[in-house]
Amino acid sequence: MSRLPSDAWYRQGIVWLGAAVFALSIAGSVWLIRVAERYADPPLPPAEAPGPQVLKVPVARPDAPSDPTR
């Protein structure tokens, strides 16, 4: 059973399309990581996150702000 050269995997357009989508998704992920490193969020001051914390995350929810329209 011999295969025709026109049936080779590298002659199938869908394979190249899939490879291009995969490569672009990896490149986009790397780009997003680089941008996220450059523009890091500033840390919260201790006054905005009072109370006990676990891994710098507040344990309790903050009090709900009062609604001045009521």
Side-chain angles (χ1 to χ4, degrees):
M1 179 190 278
S2 68
R3 295 186 177 201
L4 298 174
S6 63
D7 292 337
W9 67 268
Y10 51 84
R11 293 191 182 244
Q12 304 300 317
I14 194 73
V15 173
W16 291 108
L17 178 64
V21 168
F22 178 71
L24 288 173
S25 66
I26 296 298
S29 298
V30 169
W31 178 74
L32 284 175
I33 291 169
R34 304 260 321 186
V35 168
E37 286 178 343
R38 182 177 295 170
Y39 300 107
D41 291 336
L44 290 175
E48 291 184 24
Q53 298 178 351
V54 174
L55 297 175
K56 297 183 181 179
V57 176
V59 175
R61 290 180 181 247
D63 296 332
S66 60
D67 190 7
T69 59
R70 288 186 179 190

